[in-house]
Amino acid sequence: MSGPTESTVDATVDVPSGRPARTATPAPGDPGLARLSLNQKTTDRWSVAEAVAGCVRAGLPAIGLWREPVRAIGAAAAARLVADAGLRVSSLCRGGFLTAADPVARARALDDNRRAIEEAAEVGAACLVLVVGGLPEGSRDLAGARERAADGIAELVPYAARHGVRLGLEPMHPIFCADRGVLSTLGQALDLAERFPAEQVGVVVDTFHVWWDPDVLAQIARARGRIVSFQVCDWITPLPPDALLSRGMMGDGHIDFRLLRRAVEAAGYAGDIEVEIFNADVWAADPDAVVATLSRRHVAEVLDD
Amino acid sequence: MSGPTESTVDATVDVPSGRPARTATPAPGDPGLARLSLNQKTTDRWSVAEAVAGCVRAGLPAIGLWREPVRAIGAAAAARLVADAGLRVSSLCRGGFLTAADPVARARALDDNRRAIEEAAEVGAACLVLVVGGLPEGSRDLAGARERAADGIAELVPYAARHGVRLGLEPMHPIFCADRGVLSTLGQALDLAERFPAEQVGVVVDTFHVWWDPDVLAQIARARGRIVSFQVCDWITPLPPDALLSRGMMGDGHIDFRLLRRAVEAAGYAGDIEVEIFNADVWAADPDAVVATLSRRHVAEVLDD
């Protein structure tokens, strides 16, 4: 673990690929970093304090927080850490999991989401990311799960509004439809979001989840005023054995990031670009090296040439 | 390997789950088998002759053939085997892979598809299934790959028409967008199919590929007159490590088969229901036990109660 001012990273090698870095690491203050956010799941072994320090060392102005590490120190302490470091909180991940049919499980889920809303307010997150949940154990009623997710969102919106928290509905890649998120396309997420005012419910555009969608550019255009978060990571092949950890570093896979970034910007999004990578090889690497690589790749793969 | 008249299968245990069978195996002549087809990939270790014999033993009236085993004995010999057994050929899998940007690779792919069309005509397949192909190595131009696939189809249609072969465009689950098929939804497949007469180009509805799609029922209704094949297998979790082998036996996963079968029937489809399972555990089981299990599950999970 490095302190906030030192970094012993080898800036000439990309992780996890092990390939030579093709560009220099942008230094703190570089305009290429102006909107770059580290989703802390990308450096999974770092605590909030460590991730905040890592962002400061690398010159990243924003961080995406996760509830578990935030609760490990308390939302108030997390809020102080990011405020003292001068970071924006681009998102809090995550609420949702609202598809239970059982009334007790449903009440528990709603209650947990109210806590998530309170935490998002306390850390000053630009949005609370919601992953709506998959099919309940043993159920094949996909339409029913989708309806219950929508009902749950409707129940949470007034609470979120009272706390000044914007909800972000995250469509998930269809690979996760059964077990994580029955919201499968951006169009479907917008159908749901549009039932509510844009300042209360928006959508999360995560390249990993939406890149394959033949309708993605039209739906991003439709999402004007509703895009609350833009998250990036790559689709790599062969797909790693654990589908949950199958995300890649930008540039290691098949996604055209510029195309999607330009589309969200054309739709009015000017917020942070958050790098969120679930991947065992990324997690095994030195977190400072991960941040250095994603900073380089952000400039080389996501921003304009 | 069993001969055509003997079966030594334990009919009380489902494979690959190992769970007790919940219903009796339908005997040859059972009306529940009247439209059931064995896609021979489901019993991957069987040759055409063995798969044909397996269908006859179990009372299945149809088979879906694959090009590689067909070519191992020649299309004429394969045609004789199925004709002598009195089986229908519900499909020939598969042509496609038309996304190459390189002119030489593209010409080779088109040529291979012409051979596939000839083989489909010779074995009397109800359709030639086309998997359009993924992104070429190193390319991130998804729109370009989709255009080239469409151009390739257009080039093949007259040849298929001359041979009396109906082409079936198979939308593939987005998990395969990068490496197998850039045709990702039924709606997108129909957009392409509708450029051609329905008797020449239709779509394949495979439950594994389309079950997650929020728009699937509307698109199946739209597909009236264009559904050339209905294939079934389940989406299981956790997803097996090899995504290509992640398909499950009907009833072992999350798909509501009745919903989708009723939808294709309401759209006018009255053809065979083909069981196509790529799964290492299924392939490791006794093929006769696989056919017995899928016959039971077909009646219990796919047909009406």
Side-chain angles (χ1 to χ4, degrees), chain B residues 1-303:
Chain B
M1 179 170 60
S2 323
T5 54
E6 44 176 316
S7 175
T8 54
V9 161
D10 179 354
T12 66
V13 176
D14 283 345
V15 293
S17 68
R19 290 202 298 260
R22 301 176 78 167
T23 54
T25 310
D30 187 304
L33 301 178
R35 293 168 58 203
L36 179 57
S37 175
L38 172 70
N39 182 292
Q40 77 169 124
K41 202 71 183 174
T42 306
T43 51
D44 196 45
R45 72 171 98 153
W46 268 350
S47 66
V48 173
E50 290 167 329
V52 165
C55 286
V56 170
R57 268 196 302 282
L60 273 58
I63 188 167
L65 296 174
W66 274 68
R67 293 183 68 199
E68 294 74 8
V70 163
R71 279 183 295 186
I73 56 169
R80 267 194 309 275
L81 280 168
V82 293
D84 289 351
L87 299 182
R88 294 185 292 272
V89 179
S90 50
S91 73
L92 179 68
C93 293
R94 59 198 183 179
F97 297 94
L98 292 163
T99 50
D102 168 64
V104 174
R106 180 171 178 74
R108 201 183 306 125
L110 285 167
D111 198 54
D112 182 59
N113 275 277
R114 289 187 201 99
R115 298 297 84 72
I117 288 166
E118 294 159 11
E119 292 157 17
E122 186 145 22
V123 300
C127 66
L128 173 64
V129 175
L130 299 184
V131 169
V132 302
L135 288 168
E137 180 73 29
S139 168
R140 294 170 188 162
D141 178 13
L142 186 51
R146 285 170 167 161
E147 259 177 52
R148 289 191 299 278
D151 293 346
I153 304 291
E155 206 159 327
L156 292 170
V157 166
Y159 195 81
R162 277 205 300 283
H163 285 78
V165 169
R166 208 172 178 198
L167 302 176
L169 305 182
E170 181 164 25
M172 301 216 90
H173 193 285
I175 192 177
F176 300 123
C177 185
D179 48 2
R180 318 295 288 184
V182 294
L183 210 52
S184 302
T185 63
L186 187 54
Q188 188 193 5
L190 284 166
D191 287 346
L192 177 48
E194 286 170 355
R195 300 184 195 175
F196 310 99
E199 61 277 16
Q200 289 175 9
V201 182
V203 293
V204 176
V205 177
D206 181 321
T207 56
F208 179 88
H209 294 309
V210 305
W211 76 280
W212 60 270
D213 185 349
D215 207 27
V216 68
L217 296 182
Q219 294 300 330
I220 287 175
R222 173 187 166 198
R224 171 172 290 277
R226 296 263 178 194
I227 302 172
V228 300
S229 172
F230 179 50
Q231 298 182 328
V232 294
C233 73
D234 217 335
W235 182 274
I236 52 177
T237 53
L239 210 62
D242 183 342
L244 279 179
L245 304 183
S246 60
R247 303 176 185 216
M249 181 65 69
M250 302 87 74
D252 286 350
H254 303 278
I255 296 179
D256 183 343
F257 292 97
R258 283 192 191 88
L259 178 77
L260 296 169
R261 181 192 51 75
R262 287 175 189 148
V264 298
E265 288 176 0
Y269 182 74
D272 292 314
I273 300 174
E274 194 177 292
V275 179
E276 186 189 45
I277 309 176
F278 296 56
N279 179 299
D281 297 330
V282 170
W283 291 349
D286 176 338
D288 280 302
V290 170
V291 173
T293 302
L294 69 82
S295 298
R296 291 190 293 268
R297 295 293 182 86
H298 173 70
V299 172
E301 303 285 339
V302 183
L303 299 184

Side-chain angles (χ1 to χ4, degrees), chain A residues 27-107:
Chain A
D30 187 304
L33 301 178
R35 294 168 59 202
L36 180 57
S37 175
L38 173 71
N39 182 293
Q40 77 170 124
K41 201 72 185 173
T42 306
T43 51
D44 196 44
R45 74 172 96 153
W46 268 350
S47 66
V48 173
E50 290 167 330
V52 164
C55 286
V56 170
R57 268 196 303 282
L60 274 57
I63 189 167
L65 296 174
W66 274 67
R67 294 182 67 199
E68 294 73 8
V70 163
R71 278 182 296 186
I73 57 170
R80 268 195 308 277
L81 281 168
V82 293
D84 289 350
L87 299 182
R88 296 184 291 272
V89 179
S90 48
S91 73
L92 178 68
C93 292
R94 63 198 179 179
F97 296 93
L98 292 163
T99 50
D102 167 64
V104 174
R106 179 169 179 76

Side-chain angles (χ1 to χ4, degrees), chain A residues 17-192:
Chain A
S17 68
R19 290 202 298 259
R22 302 177 77 165
T23 55
T25 309
D30 187 304
L33 301 178
R35 294 168 59 202
L36 180 57
S37 175
L38 173 71
N39 182 293
Q40 77 170 124
K41 201 72 185 173
T42 306
T43 51
D44 196 44
R45 74 172 96 153
W46 268 350
S47 66
V48 173
E50 290 167 330
V52 164
C55 286
V56 170
R57 268 196 303 282
L60 274 57
I63 189 167
L65 296 174
W66 274 67
R67 294 182 67 199
E68 294 73 8
V70 163
R71 278 182 296 186
I73 57 170
R80 268 195 308 277
L81 281 168
V82 293
D84 289 350
L87 299 182
R88 296 184 291 272
V89 179
S90 48
S91 73
L92 178 68
C93 292
R94 63 198 179 179
F97 296 93
L98 292 163
T99 50
D102 167 64
V104 174
R106 179 169 179 76
R108 201 183 305 124
L110 286 166
D111 198 55
D112 183 59
N113 275 277
R114 290 187 199 98
R115 299 295 85 71
I117 288 166
E118 294 159 11
E119 292 157 17
E122 186 145 21
V123 300
C127 66
L128 173 64
V129 175
L130 298 185
V131 169
V132 301
L135 288 167
E137 180 73 28
S139 168
R140 294 171 188 161
D141 179 14
L142 186 52
R146 284 169 169 162
E147 257 176 53
R148 289 191 299 277
D151 292 346
I153 304 292
E155 205 159 328
L156 292 170
V157 166
Y159 195 81
R162 278 205 299 283
H163 286 79
V165 169
R166 207 172 178 199
L167 302 177
L169 306 183
E170 181 165 25
M172 301 216 90
H173 193 285
I175 193 178
F176 299 124
C177 185
D179 48 0
R180 318 296 288 182
V182 294
L183 211 52
S184 304
T185 64
L186 187 54
Q188 189 192 7
L190 285 165
D191 287 346
L192 178 48

